[in-house]
Amino acid sequence: TLQPSQAAAGHSVSVTLSGNNFLNIPTLTCRFGLSTSVHARHLSASSILCLLPSSTPPGNLTAEVSLNGVDFSRSGLRLSLIPSSPWAISPSQGPTAGGSRVTISGLSPESGASVAFLFGESLVYATSDDNGIYTAVTPRGRTGETPVSLAETYEAGESAKVLFEYQAAPEVFALR
């Protein structure tokens, strides 16, 4: 297995690969895609750690391991590097019921402008203040991470995405 399986491009990423029979030898290597090879740090016979360089471009990369730096595994494990977004959402998590007020910063809006965002497939409108910060209310969602993107560039795939994590509400089983 591979952790994480998704990360933002433009940053160094520590990637843990789990498997079998990893040896603690100096030639232990990880390769991401066909060209990015890095030294692997042996954690145990079933786990190694590799640092993916920040210069690695966005895209889907296969992660493979080599004991000699030449012959690599063919596991097909994938790491998805998504483009770094110039904007951010805060808070980045909320309840699955929706209704959380979030701010979206890093865009260049006109004061009072309204812009549409997609939380997964749910369209949400946000308005900006004088400082270029948008405010929106989250829609209902399913537990887990959901991509948030600018709606008008969604079709063209030009919008960098940020993630919003929906969390299930805690359940109370008994009160004492």
Side-chain angles (χ1 to χ4, degrees), residues 40-56:
R41 190 171 111 203
H42 184 267
L43 300 175
S44 71
S46 61
S47 185
I48 60 173
L49 181 70
C50 301
L51 185 63
L52 182 66
S54 61
S55 60
T56 308

Side-chain angles (χ1 to χ4, degrees), residues 172-176:
V172 177
F173 294 103
L175 294 174
R176 294 181 189 238

Side-chain angles (χ1 to χ4, degrees), residues 48-136:
I48 60 173
L49 181 70
C50 301
L51 185 63
L52 182 66
S54 61
S55 60
T56 308
N60 291 318
L61 306 169
T62 55
E64 304 299 346
V65 178
S66 173
L67 296 177
N68 62 13
V70 176
D71 302 308
F72 286 88
S73 63
R74 294 184 184 165
S75 67
L77 295 174
R78 291 216 179 260
L79 172 65
S80 179
L81 283 182
I82 57 174
S84 293
S85 177
W87 52 281
I89 188 168
S90 180
S92 61
Q93 58 190 24
T96 55
S100 295
R101 183 181 169 99
V102 295
T103 57
I104 301 164
S105 58
L107 300 174
S108 300
E110 297 175 25
S111 180
S114 179
V115 172
F117 291 91
L118 284 167
F119 278 71
E121 296 180 8
S122 298
L123 190 64
V124 171
Y125 289 93
T127 55
S128 68
D129 65 12
D130 292 335
N131 298 317
I133 296 177
Y134 284 95
T135 323

Side-chain angles (χ1 to χ4, degrees), residues 10-12 18 32 40 43 62 71 76 83 100 102 106 123 138 146 165:
H11 304 278
S12 295
S18 300
F32 297 94
L43 300 175
T62 55
D71 302 308
S100 295
V102 295
L123 190 64
T138 60
T146 298
E165 183 180 0

